[in-house]
Amino acid sequence: MAFRYGKVAMSGSEFRFVKTGVPGLDELLEGQGIPEGYHVFLLGSPGSGKTTLALQFLHYGASIGENGIYISLDEAPHILIRNMRRVGIDLESDIKSKRLALIDASPIRHIPGTVKIGAFAIGKRDFSLASLIDAIQNHARELHAKRLVIDPISSFLLQYPDEAERRTAVMDLMEGVATLGCTTLYLSELVETGTDRRYQFEEYLAQGVIIMRRVLKPTGIVNSIQVEKMRGVAHDVQPHPYRITQNGIEVYPTELVF
Ligand SMILES: Nc1ncnc2c1ncn2[C@@H]1O[C@H](COP(=O)(O)OP(=O)(O)O)[C@@H](O)[C@H]1O
Ligand SMILES: [Mg+2]
C-alpha cells in the first residue's frame, strides 16, 4: 500500500503531512505537504487561482479517500463545477461518490432574505457565525471529512465592519472548525499596494499562510506563489511561478520569480 503521508519528528511527537495535490507545491513544503489538521490561509489577488487551487486540494483528497467539504460564500456550486471542468478537474464524480460536498453558503448576495447552507435554510437576520459553524460541523461529520475549504472568508467578514469584531469572528470560526481536526484552507483577498503590503490579522492567527499573486514583469504578468508561513516546517520562502493549465494549477518549484 502506498503511503499517503510523510512523517517528521517534531519536539518528541510526530505529525503527518497532507499532500496538496498541486504538482510542485509540496516541494516547497519539505516535499511533504501541509501538516495534518493545520489551518492555512490562502491569500491572493482576485483571479489569482485561489479557488482553483483549493478545489484541486479537495479533488486530490477525494481521490485518495480523504473526503472534503467546500464551503462557498461566493460562487454557486454549479458554476464552480463548470469552471473546474474547464481546467480538467471533474468534481461531479467526487460529489456523486460522496467524497466531496460543495456547500452553498452564499446567501447574502444570492438569496435575499434567506440563508441556504446545504439543506439548511436560515433567516438572513439570524445568519450567524454559530449557524455557519454548525453547518460546517454537520456536513464534515456526515462525510467524515479530512479536508475543508472556506472560500472566501472575506465575503463572510463583510458583515463585521469593525476590525476587532472581525478578528473575534475569525477566531470563533477557527475554533469552531478546529474541533473537526480537518486540514483547512481559508481563502481571502490579499490586501496589497504596489510592492508594499499590510500584514493581515489572519496571518497571525493561522498556522500557515500561502500567498498567490499576479506580478507585473518586463516580460508580462507572472503568477507567483509563496509559502509565507508554515509552523514547524522548513518550507521554501521564495516566490515561485505557477500556471493554471488544463490539468489544474502547476507550481514550478525550481524556478524563481524576482
Ligand atoms: N480554462 C482555463 N484555463 C486556464 N486558466 C483559466 C481557465 N479558466 C480560468 N482561468 C484563470 O483562472 C482564474 C480564476 O481562478 P480562480 O481560482 O477563480 O481565482 P480566485 O479564486 O483567486 O479569484 C482566472 O482569472 C483565469 O485567469
Ligand atoms: Mg475565488
Side-chain angles (χ1 to χ4, degrees), residues 224-245:
S224 139
I225 191 163
Q226 180 190 4
V227 180
E228 188 174 80
K229 163 174 166 180
M230 198 63 65
R231 269 186 205 146
V233 179
H235 62 88
D236 188 328
V237 295
Q238 303 297 340
H240 295 273
Y242 67 91
R243 276 200 201 102
I244 304 176
T245 74

Side-chain angles (χ1 to χ4, degrees), residues 17-20 22 24-35 38 40 208-210 226-231 233-237 253:
F17 287 94
V18 169
K19 300 248 174 260
T20 61
V22 178
L25 182 54
D26 294 347
E27 306 308 311
L28 310 183
L29 296 158
E30 290 188 11
Q32 306 272 24
I34 298 171
Y38 263 27
V40 173
V209 177
I210 299 175
Q226 180 190 4
V227 180
E228 188 174 80
K229 163 174 166 180
M230 198 63 65
R231 269 186 205 146
V233 179
H235 62 88
D236 188 328
V237 295

Side-chain angles (χ1 to χ4, degrees), residues 36-255:
E36 187 177 34
Y38 263 27
H39 292 243
V40 173
F41 277 84
L42 181 57
L43 306 176
S45 36
S48 58
K50 300 181 293 297
T51 298
T52 307
L53 189 147
L55 285 166
Q56 197 171 332
F57 167 78
L58 294 180
H59 175 69
Y60 177 76
S63 77
I64 58 166
E66 294 176 11
N67 295 355
I69 303 283
Y70 173 91
I71 305 291
S72 175
L73 289 154
D74 206 348
E75 284 164 298
H78 71 276
I79 306 272
L80 295 165
I81 291 168
R82 187 197 64 192
N83 290 350
M84 292 306 285
R85 202 182 295 131
R86 302 254 307 136
V87 293
I89 293 174
D90 173 22
L91 298 178
E92 257 168 335
S93 64
D94 299 336
I95 294 167
K96 277 194 195 124
S97 59
K98 297 209 180 322
R99 297 197 172 280
L100 171 69
L102 304 184
I103 310 303
D104 186 2
S106 60
I108 300 163
R109 264 168 272 167
H110 304 298
I111 312 165
T114 56
V115 171
K116 201 156 167 276
I117 302 173
F120 303 81
I122 301 157
K124 187 171 181 174
R125 286 207 194 104
D126 299 328
F127 180 62
S128 66
L129 191 55
S131 0
L132 181 62
I133 294 170
D134 246 27
I136 294 172
Q137 289 179 340
N138 289 340
H139 284 284
R141 292 205 176 109
E142 197 184 318
L143 230 72
H144 303 289
K146 294 269 186 261
R147 298 177 180 222
L148 174 67
V149 170
I150 303 177
D151 180 16
I153 60 156
S154 20
S155 278
F156 172 73
L157 294 175
L158 288 175
Q159 311 183 90
Y160 302 92
D162 179 69
E163 169 105 25
E165 273 181 9
R166 257 202 318 276
R167 200 184 163 98
T168 308
V170 174
M171 283 161 73
D172 288 350
L173 177 63
M174 289 175 79
E175 219 167 87
V177 165
T179 59
L180 297 167
C182 293
T183 309
T184 305
L185 301 183
Y186 298 83
L187 277 51
S188 191
E189 297 305 324
L190 181 66
V191 181
E192 204 163 36
T193 48
T195 52
D196 220 15
R197 86 182 182 90
R198 186 164 69 88
Y199 281 84
Q200 290 161 247
F201 67 85
E202 295 97 310
E203 299 171 45
Y204 301 104
L205 300 178
Q207 290 142 327
V209 177
I210 299 175
I211 296 182
M212 297 170 85
R213 292 188 175 89
R214 284 189 153 151
V215 190
L216 179 60
K217 295 280 156 200
T219 47
I221 296 283
V222 178
N223 292 322
S224 139
I225 191 163
Q226 180 190 4
V227 180
E228 188 174 80
K229 163 174 166 180
M230 198 63 65
R231 269 186 205 146
V233 179
H235 62 88
D236 188 328
V237 295
Q238 303 297 340
H240 295 273
Y242 67 91
R243 276 200 201 102
I244 304 176
T245 74
Q246 288 188 340
N247 297 305
I249 290 185
E250 276 177 27
V251 175
Y252 305 99
T254 57
E255 296 173 36

